[in-house]
Protein backbone atom coordinates (compact mmCIF):
# COMPACT_ATOMS: atom_id res chain seq x y z
CA UNK A 1 0.00 0.00 0.00
CA UNK A 2 2.84 2.36 0.90
CA UNK A 3 4.57 1.70 -2.44
CA UNK A 4 1.36 2.52 -4.32
CA UNK A 5 1.03 5.79 -2.42
CA UNK A 6 4.60 6.73 -3.32
CA UNK A 7 3.89 6.13 -7.00
CA UNK A 8 0.71 8.19 -6.81
CA UNK A 9 2.58 11.09 -5.21
CA UNK A 10 5.27 10.91 -7.88
CA UNK A 11 2.70 10.99 -10.67
CA UNK A 12 0.85 13.86 -9.04
CA UNK A 13 4.04 15.88 -8.61
CA UNK A 14 5.00 15.27 -12.23
CA UNK A 15 1.63 16.33 -13.61
CA UNK A 16 1.46 19.98 -14.61
CA UNK A 17 -1.38 21.96 -16.11
CA UNK A 18 -2.13 20.93 -19.65
CA UNK A 19 0.37 18.06 -19.66
CA UNK A 20 -0.20 14.36 -19.07
CA UNK A 21 1.59 12.77 -16.10
CA UNK A 22 5.06 11.33 -16.62
CA UNK A 23 6.07 7.94 -15.29
CA UNK A 24 9.62 6.65 -14.70
CA UNK A 25 8.70 3.81 -17.07
CA UNK A 26 8.41 6.36 -19.89
CA UNK A 27 12.13 7.09 -19.83
CA UNK A 28 14.34 5.69 -22.57
CA UNK A 29 17.39 5.37 -20.32
CA UNK A 30 18.00 2.35 -18.09
CA UNK A 31 16.95 2.93 -14.47
CA UNK A 32 19.46 2.48 -11.65
CA UNK A 33 18.48 -0.02 -8.98
CA UNK A 34 19.05 2.71 -6.38
CA UNK A 35 19.46 6.44 -6.83
CA UNK A 36 23.02 7.74 -6.54
CA UNK A 37 23.68 11.01 -4.73
CA UNK A 38 25.57 13.78 -6.48
CA UNK A 39 29.28 13.08 -5.88
CA UNK A 40 31.58 15.50 -4.13
CA UNK A 41 33.57 16.96 -6.98
CA UNK A 42 35.75 20.01 -6.47
CA UNK A 43 38.07 20.62 -9.37
CA UNK A 44 39.03 23.60 -11.56
CA UNK A 45 37.73 25.21 -14.72
CA UNK A 46 41.14 26.83 -15.01
CA UNK A 47 43.94 27.65 -12.58
CA UNK A 48 42.44 29.81 -9.85
CA UNK A 49 38.85 29.19 -10.98
CA UNK A 50 37.41 26.50 -8.71
CA UNK A 51 34.55 24.27 -9.77
CA UNK A 52 32.15 22.78 -7.23
CA UNK A 53 29.69 20.32 -8.78
CA UNK A 54 27.19 20.70 -5.92
CA UNK A 55 26.93 24.44 -6.59
CA UNK A 56 26.88 24.13 -10.38
CA UNK A 57 24.22 21.40 -10.40
CA UNK A 58 21.89 23.00 -7.87
CA UNK A 59 18.36 23.05 -9.23
CA UNK A 60 19.50 21.86 -12.66
CA UNK A 61 19.52 18.66 -14.67
CA UNK A 62 23.25 17.96 -14.89
CA UNK A 63 24.81 15.50 -17.30
CA UNK A 64 28.20 14.34 -16.02
CA UNK A 65 30.75 12.58 -18.20
CA UNK A 66 34.35 11.48 -17.65
CA UNK A 67 36.46 11.43 -20.80
CA UNK A 68 39.26 13.14 -22.72
CA UNK A 69 39.51 15.37 -25.75
CA UNK A 70 41.77 13.04 -27.75
CA UNK A 71 39.19 10.25 -27.52
CA UNK A 72 38.56 8.88 -31.02
CA UNK A 73 34.96 7.76 -30.58
CA UNK A 74 33.03 7.57 -27.29
CA UNK A 75 33.52 11.15 -26.06
CA UNK A 76 32.70 13.01 -29.27
CA UNK A 77 29.70 10.75 -29.85
CA UNK A 78 28.19 11.48 -26.42
CA UNK A 79 28.88 15.22 -26.62
CA UNK A 80 27.53 15.40 -30.17
CA UNK A 81 24.35 13.56 -29.26
CA UNK A 82 23.79 15.75 -26.20
CA UNK A 83 24.31 18.95 -28.19
CA UNK A 84 21.92 17.80 -30.91
CA UNK A 85 19.30 16.78 -28.34
CA UNK A 86 19.45 20.14 -26.58
CA UNK A 87 19.05 22.05 -29.84
CA UNK A 88 15.71 20.32 -30.37
CA UNK A 89 14.32 21.60 -27.07
CA UNK A 90 12.76 24.99 -26.29
CA UNK A 91 14.96 27.59 -24.57
CA UNK A 92 13.18 27.34 -21.22
CA UNK A 93 14.08 23.64 -21.05
CA UNK A 94 17.65 24.10 -22.29
CA UNK A 95 18.46 26.67 -19.63
CA UNK A 96 17.65 24.10 -16.93
CA UNK A 97 20.35 21.72 -18.20
CA UNK A 98 24.09 21.64 -17.50
CA UNK A 99 26.70 19.45 -19.17
CA UNK A 100 29.93 18.85 -17.26
CA UNK A 101 32.86 17.10 -18.91
CA UNK A 102 35.57 15.93 -16.48
CA UNK A 103 38.84 15.13 -18.18
CA UNK A 104 40.51 11.83 -17.38
CA UNK A 105 43.65 13.08 -19.12
CA UNK A 106 44.68 16.23 -17.21
CA UNK A 107 48.24 16.00 -18.55
CA UNK A 108 47.07 16.90 -22.06
CA UNK A 109 43.68 18.52 -21.51
CA UNK A 110 44.52 22.08 -20.55
CA UNK A 111 41.62 24.44 -19.76
CA UNK A 112 42.09 26.04 -23.18
CA UNK A 113 42.04 22.68 -24.91
CA UNK A 114 38.92 21.59 -23.02
CA UNK A 115 37.13 24.84 -23.78
CA UNK A 116 37.86 24.86 -27.51
CA UNK A 117 37.04 21.17 -27.91
CA UNK A 118 33.69 21.40 -26.10
CA UNK A 119 32.76 24.60 -27.98
CA UNK A 120 32.66 22.51 -31.15
CA UNK A 121 29.56 20.86 -29.71
CA UNK A 122 27.98 23.55 -27.49
CA UNK A 123 29.58 26.64 -25.97
CA UNK A 124 27.62 26.13 -22.73
CA UNK A 125 29.30 22.78 -21.98
CA UNK A 126 31.70 23.05 -19.03
CA UNK A 127 35.06 21.32 -19.02
CA UNK A 128 36.88 20.77 -15.74
CA UNK A 129 40.24 19.35 -14.75
CA UNK A 130 42.40 19.13 -11.67
CA UNK A 131 44.23 16.73 -9.46
CA UNK A 132 44.22 13.16 -10.78
CA UNK A 133 43.53 11.82 -7.27
CA UNK A 134 40.33 13.88 -6.98
CA UNK A 135 39.18 12.77 -10.43
CA UNK A 136 39.78 9.12 -9.54
CA UNK A 137 37.94 9.52 -6.23
CA UNK A 138 34.89 10.89 -8.04
CA UNK A 139 34.92 7.91 -10.41
CA UNK A 140 35.16 5.47 -7.50
CA UNK A 141 32.30 7.23 -5.72
CA UNK A 142 30.08 6.50 -8.71
CA UNK A 143 31.20 2.88 -8.97
CA UNK A 144 33.00 3.56 -12.24
CA UNK A 145 36.23 1.93 -13.39
CA UNK A 146 39.21 4.25 -13.00
CA UNK A 147 40.39 5.60 -16.35
CA UNK A 148 43.78 4.19 -17.33
CA UNK A 149 46.37 5.19 -19.89
CA UNK A 150 46.86 2.74 -22.73
CA UNK A 151 50.06 2.14 -24.63
CA UNK A 152 51.38 4.63 -27.17
CA UNK A 153 49.61 4.69 -30.52
CA UNK A 154 52.14 4.07 -33.34
CA UNK A 155 52.84 7.07 -35.59
CA UNK A 156 50.41 9.31 -33.68
CA UNK A 157 52.72 10.85 -31.12
CA UNK A 158 50.16 10.17 -28.40
CA UNK A 159 48.19 7.58 -26.45
CA UNK A 160 44.61 6.54 -25.84
CA UNK A 161 42.82 5.98 -22.54
CA UNK A 162 40.35 3.39 -21.33
CA UNK A 163 37.50 5.03 -19.44
CA UNK A 164 33.86 4.57 -18.54
CA UNK A 165 31.49 5.18 -21.45
CA UNK A 166 28.27 6.03 -19.60
CA UNK A 167 26.67 9.41 -19.11
CA UNK A 168 25.25 10.26 -15.68
CA UNK A 169 22.06 12.30 -15.42
CA UNK A 170 21.76 14.09 -12.07
CA UNK A 171 18.29 15.52 -11.71
CA UNK A 172 17.41 18.69 -9.70
CA UNK A 173 16.92 16.55 -6.58
CA UNK A 174 20.72 16.00 -6.57
CA UNK A 175 20.50 12.32 -7.45
CA UNK A 176 21.01 10.11 -10.48
CA UNK A 177 18.10 7.78 -11.20
CA UNK A 178 19.14 6.78 -14.72
CA UNK A 179 22.36 6.40 -16.68
CA UNK A 180 22.86 6.64 -20.44
CA UNK A 181 25.05 3.94 -21.99
CA UNK A 182 27.21 4.28 -25.05
CA UNK A 183 25.08 4.42 -28.21
CA UNK A 184 22.06 6.19 -26.70
CA UNK A 185 20.26 7.97 -29.53
CA UNK A 186 19.87 11.75 -29.60
CA UNK A 187 16.11 11.39 -30.13
CA UNK A 188 15.86 9.41 -26.90
CA UNK A 189 17.92 11.99 -25.02
CA UNK A 190 15.74 14.82 -26.32
CA UNK A 191 12.60 12.95 -25.24
CA UNK A 192 13.97 12.16 -21.79
CA UNK A 193 15.26 15.60 -20.76
CA UNK A 194 11.83 17.21 -20.09
CA UNK A 195 10.70 14.01 -18.38
CA UNK A 196 13.70 13.98 -16.04
CA UNK A 197 13.03 17.58 -15.04
CA UNK A 198 9.42 16.81 -14.22
CA UNK A 199 9.95 13.47 -12.48
CA UNK A 200 12.60 14.57 -9.99
CA UNK A 201 12.32 18.31 -9.36
CA UNK A 202 14.30 20.23 -6.80
CA UNK A 203 13.23 19.52 -3.21
Amino acid sequence: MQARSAVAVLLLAACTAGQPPVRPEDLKAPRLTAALPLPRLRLERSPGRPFDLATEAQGKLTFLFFGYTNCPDVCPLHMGNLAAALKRLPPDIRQQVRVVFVTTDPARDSPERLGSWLAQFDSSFVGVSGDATAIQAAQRGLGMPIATRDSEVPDSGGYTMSHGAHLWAFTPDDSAHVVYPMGMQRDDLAADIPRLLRLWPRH
Side-chain angles (χ1 to χ4, degrees):
M1 184 70 178
Q2 188 174 3
R4 289 183 180 177
S5 298
V7 171
V9 169
L10 182 61
L11 289 174
L12 181 62
C15 186
T16 56
Q19 294 180 310
V22 177
R23 305 169 304 164
E25 294 79 13
D26 296 329
L27 295 168
K28 304 294 185 180
R31 288 285 305 277
L32 298 172
T33 54
L36 286 178
L38 195 69
R40 292 177 60 85
L41 186 62
R42 293 186 177 132
L43 296 170
E44 290 185 328
R45 292 191 185 193
S46 60
R49 287 189 66 200
F51 175 89
D52 185 347
L53 182 63
T55 300
E56 294 288 335
Q58 192 171 45
K60 308 292 183 182
L61 167 59
T62 302
F63 289 100
L64 179 66
F65 187 78
F66 292 81
Y68 68 114
T69 63
N70 285 288
C71 179
D73 41 34
V74 175
C75 303
L77 178 62
H78 267 313
M79 294 301 104
N81 282 341
L82 259 177
L86 287 171
K87 286 176 182 175
R88 300 180 186 187
L89 299 172
D92 63 315
I93 297 293
R94 289 202 305 269
Q95 67 186 10
Q96 298 179 64
V97 181
R98 292 289 181 272
V99 176
V100 178
F101 184 96
V102 182
T103 181
T104 56
D105 187 16
R108 291 187 294 181
D109 284 343
S110 66
E112 294 77 18
R113 167 69 180 167
L114 278 168
S116 61
W117 186 80
L118 287 169
Q120 298 176 79
F121 305 101
D122 190 306
S123 60
S124 72
F125 289 5
V126 177
V128 295
S129 183
D131 180 74
T133 302
I135 295 172
Q136 291 175 3
Q139 291 172 86
R140 288 194 190 94
L142 291 168
M144 296 177 63
I146 301 301
T148 57
R149 176 172 167 170
D150 299 329
S151 58
E152 299 289 329
V153 178
D155 303 321
S156 73
Y159 54 86
T160 58
M161 298 196 71
S162 296
H163 61 91
H166 38 291
L167 178 69
W168 299 96
F170 288 94
T171 41
D173 65 345
D174 294 337
S175 297
H177 303 269
V178 299
V179 62
Y180 291 86
M182 174 64 179
M184 199 72 183
Q185 299 299 310
R186 57 189 61 182
D187 289 345
D188 291 338
L189 279 165
D192 272 6
I193 287 172
R195 295 168 180 160
L196 289 168
L197 288 166
R198 291 176 60 196
L199 280 168
W200 293 287
R202 186 175 178 179
H203 291 313

